[in-house]
Amino acid sequence: MDDLRTTLATFSVDERREFDQFIQRQRRKDKGRMDQRLYELLLLPQPLTTEQILARLYPQEPNPTAYYALRKRLLRHLTEYLLLRQHQRDPTAASSVRGLLTLAQYLFEAGVPRLAWTTLRKAEKQAQQNEQFELLNAVYNLQIAQASREATEDLDDIIRRRHLNKKLADEEERAGIADSIIRHRLRQARVKGRAAESFDGILQEVLREYELQEAFARRPAVLYRLMSIARNAMLVRRDFSSFTPFVMRCYHLMEKRHGFAPAHRYYQLGLLYMIAHGLYRTRRFAEAAGYLAQMHTLLAAGGRSYATEWLPRCAFLQAAIYAFMHRNNESIALLNKLLSETSLTHRDELTARLGLSFHYFAEGLFQKANQVLLTIGQTDHWCEQEMGLEWLLNKNMGEMLIQLELGHHDLALNRLRSIERLLHERFAGQPHPYAYVASYLQLVRSILLDPDVARQPAFAARVEALPTFLPLLREDLQALSYYGWLRARMTGRPYYSVLLELVCPAPADTLATPEA
């Protein structure tokens, strides 16, 4: 295994392009750069052996010594690129504090202590405002070490501040340990078949053991970290009905007792998004929209540095919420505006286009839905590498249903077969979490072969007999969307109307008498 290749393979399409430009930043020898050529070879879909790379780089005579020197140069480029990217993308101000600390160290070494102390005070202020306790500890240690060089502050006062901060830094370390232990215990619970074990119970036990009960209720960073673990566990189990009230209770206790300072903006946005998404998945759409409105207020009031990450996610969730509130036209307008007016990452753009195609499909605008998916313009392999298998399955199933609705049954059948091949290639008959997809495809195949079959009682019986699919309908709106299409075919009614009835059933006294 080539570790350098493995690292480069983790880059998104945008990051690969950025790194390629970074390699050429010095504009020396633009053509025929060997380090750039090695980078291109390492990114080939089919891995090359060392001998094959040598033969391509040095066709006249293989030169292992030059090759390994070239790898070191490329690794150096990679390290510098990642450091620069971390500095540019860091939302916590840690990079800025590190930069000031490095500058202060240089100024002391260069014999400019007065400016060094001014720089250290700036670093201290920024670290305090942004709760960078570990870095603040380094600032105080440097202040103590340089206290004899034109210091304008009392050494005893610096030491006192250092000791107070050290307690908070230790608390941060304990929170990191607790984070790892909670993740480990959740994995153990799943392996031993105790997936339903209470996360709340595990959390409270670990918080007591590491004396973090107060920090959990007082520190937004600790709360956000632990809620992220909880959310990942619940996403696997799709247990939003228990997670959502839990994170809401924790958020509002934090808000009431301690509040959120500007330095906590990132964590506050993250917690609000968790709540809004959980409310959406539990079909409390109006409440979810309310929490999204709070996110927009925060972003407008001073969280603009986080807009690149959070605004697209807010738009995707807002569009999904509108769709289930009889406002699908607003969903379409929102995503079209996002695509036309916002600079999106590749991942966000693909998410937006797939979502937009769903909203057009729900309106019965199948041609427009098809056109949106065509604008993706990438192979299945590329989409899977960039977005993952589940996203690719959703895209391909959407294409299949669109072609079926357009009357292109041959194209729909081809796409159905490609999905079956994909599942077979990835899992080769082994148990996998997409078994319900294979069962669903069999029903779609029956409709392709005979469009009238969906209206027959035998077909309804097959739908109700799907053991791996129907349990998902309780929590998974995505699965419900696919099921809604089957129901629309079975009843001969518009898909969007059926979907809304499934998501938000009418009160019992207004329902028609069910068929015998």
Side-chain angles (χ1 to χ4, degrees):
M1 180 181 292
D2 189 327
D3 292 336
L4 181 56
R5 183 183 188 279
T6 301
T7 304
L8 293 171
T10 64
F11 282 0
S12 68
V13 174
D14 284 337
E15 290 167 338
R16 291 180 183 184
R17 183 174 61 253
E18 286 177 2
F19 183 55
D20 184 60
Q21 294 169 349
F22 183 82
I23 293 174
Q24 304 177 61
R25 67 195 182 282
Q26 296 172 329
R27 295 296 178 189
R28 293 184 302 184
K29 197 178 179 181
D30 286 345
K31 295 184 178 179
R33 290 189 59 127
M34 295 295 284
D35 49 6
Q36 188 177 10
R37 176 62 177 150
L38 174 59
Y39 172 57
E40 293 169 353
L41 292 174
L42 290 174
L43 286 181
L44 291 175
Q46 186 64 36
L48 301 177
T49 64
T50 300
E51 291 73 19
Q52 289 172 323
I53 294 176
L54 283 169
R56 295 200 185 189
L57 290 174
Y58 312 101
Q60 301 299 325
E61 181 180 356
N63 189 337
T65 302
Y67 166 65
Y68 286 108
L70 194 61
R71 286 180 62 91
K72 288 182 180 179
R73 191 193 315 165
L74 184 60
L75 182 59
R76 190 162 58 249
H77 285 313
L78 177 62
T79 304
E80 292 171 355
Y81 167 72
L82 292 175
L83 284 171
L84 178 62
R85 192 184 69 167
Q86 181 186 29
H87 180 76
Q88 292 172 337
R89 298 184 181 182
D90 186 1
T92 63
S95 295
S96 179
V97 176
R98 288 192 192 96
L100 290 170
L101 187 58
T102 301
L103 176 58
Q105 289 171 325
Y106 167 78
L107 291 171
F108 278 124
E109 292 170 1
V112 193
R114 185 174 60 82
L115 184 55
W117 275 102
T118 300
T119 304
L120 273 182
R121 282 191 287 274
K122 289 181 181 177
E124 179 184 1
K125 183 178 180 181
Q126 284 196 19
Q128 286 174 336
Q129 289 175 339
N130 292 279
E131 297 189 350
Q132 296 293 325
F133 302 117
E134 185 178 347
L135 286 172
L136 187 55
N137 214 47
V139 170
Y140 287 137
N141 287 337
L142 183 57
Q143 288 179 345
I144 292 168
Q146 300 293 337
S148 61
R149 302 185 63 183
E150 297 187 23
T152 59
E153 298 186 42
D154 180 67
L155 176 59
D156 290 337
D157 189 50
I158 296 173
I159 294 173
R160 179 188 61 79
R161 298 201 305 270
R162 186 261 180 197
H163 288 340
L164 289 174
N165 178 73
K166 189 65 168 63
K167 294 179 181 178
L168 296 172
D170 290 343
E171 190 176 77
E172 193 94 341
E173 289 183 3
R174 296 200 307 275
I177 294 171
D179 182 321
S180 296
I181 290 175
I182 292 169
R183 291 178 189 274
H184 178 67
R185 291 190 183 177
L186 286 173
R187 282 196 300 270
Q188 283 184 322
R190 288 196 297 270
V191 170
K192 295 179 179 179
R194 301 196 311 271
E197 184 173 338
S198 169
F199 173 83
D200 204 353
I202 294 175
L203 176 63
Q204 294 303 328
E205 180 184 346
V206 174
L207 291 181
R208 282 194 301 272
E209 183 178 351
Y210 287 88
E211 300 177 355
L212 288 169
Q213 298 99 318
E214 183 184 351
F216 177 71
R218 174 176 47 83
R219 297 272 307 282
V222 176
L223 176 62
Y224 175 74
R225 172 183 277 181
L226 295 176
M227 288 302 98
S228 296
I229 303 171
R231 184 169 184 265
N232 289 335
M234 299 310 163
L235 284 173
V236 173
R237 292 159 46 191
R238 304 180 189 272
D239 188 11
F240 293 97
S241 59
S242 62
F243 170 72
T244 305
F246 178 57
V247 68
M248 288 176 69
R249 184 170 68 252
C250 293
Y251 175 83
H252 288 297
L253 280 174
M254 174 76 70
E255 184 180 41
K256 181 179 179 180
R257 293 177 179 176
H258 304 284
F260 291 91
H264 305 144
R265 192 75 73 216
Y266 181 85
Y267 308 118
Q268 187 178 8
L269 287 166
L271 291 166
L272 285 171
Y273 183 83
M274 290 182 200
I275 294 171
H277 183 255
L279 290 169
Y280 160 73
R281 295 297 290 262
T282 52
R283 310 182 194 183
R284 295 159 65 180
F285 303 118
E287 292 177 76
Y291 281 94
L292 280 182
Q294 292 184 47
M295 291 186 69
H296 283 292
T297 301
L298 284 176
L299 289 167
R304 296 184 186 279
S305 58
Y306 310 123
T308 301
E309 175 177 353
W310 291 111
L311 280 180
R313 296 176 71 179
C314 285
F316 302 149
L317 185 53
Q318 188 78 67
I321 291 169
Y322 281 164
F324 293 114
M325 296 177 69
H326 300 260
R327 300 167 65 182
N328 195 47
N329 284 327
E330 293 178 59
S331 301
I332 292 172
L334 178 61
L335 292 180
N336 272 320
K337 181 179 180 181
L338 183 73
L339 285 165
S340 62
E341 298 181 5
T342 309
S343 178
L344 300 174
T345 65
H346 265 298
R347 290 184 62 84
D348 285 343
E349 182 181 345
L350 291 171
T351 301
R353 293 193 185 282
L354 183 59
L356 182 57
S357 72
F358 163 79
H359 295 295
Y360 276 134
F361 185 93
E363 288 294 317
L365 301 173
F366 306 120
Q367 192 64 51
K368 285 191 174 182
N370 188 47
Q371 289 170 357
V372 170
L373 290 184
L374 288 174
T375 60
I376 291 175
Q378 300 291 346
T379 64
D380 282 0
H381 175 77
W382 186 93
C383 288
E384 184 178 358
Q385 291 294 312
E386 185 72 13
M387 302 297 292
L389 177 60
E390 185 162 338
W391 188 93
L392 177 62
L393 285 172
N394 284 322
K395 181 185 84 73
N396 288 351
M397 290 177 70
E399 289 177 341
M400 173 187 70
L401 296 181
I402 288 169
Q403 295 303 327
L404 190 155
E405 292 289 359
L406 288 172
H408 304 155
H409 287 198
D410 288 344
L411 293 177
L413 188 58
N414 287 339
R415 181 47 81 187
L416 185 151
R417 289 168 177 161
S418 73
I419 299 170
E420 290 178 331
R421 283 196 304 271
L422 177 66
L423 292 174
H424 178 74
E425 290 169 1
R426 294 295 175 274
F427 303 106
Q430 299 298 318
H432 59 81
Y434 304 108
Y436 72 91
V437 174
S439 302
Y440 185 85
L441 292 177
Q442 293 302 316
L443 294 168
V444 176
R445 186 191 298 274
S446 297
I447 294 174
L448 283 169
L449 297 176
D450 180 7
D452 295 329
V453 73
R455 306 294 294 274
Q456 299 173 5
F459 186 86
R462 289 174 61 191
V463 172
E464 298 303 324
L466 286 175
T468 57
F469 184 69
L470 292 182
L472 293 174
L473 303 183
R474 291 192 301 271
E475 294 286 353
D476 197 330
L477 289 174
Q478 194 174 78
L480 192 64
S481 298
Y482 290 122
Y483 177 73
W485 182 83
L486 286 177
R487 291 285 300 177
R489 280 277 168 167
M490 291 161 59
T491 60
R493 298 174 56 218
Y495 164 67
Y496 189 41
S497 299
V498 172
L499 179 61
L500 291 177
E501 288 180 5
L502 288 171
V503 174
C504 304
D509 57 354
T510 65
L511 289 174
T513 303
E515 295 179 1

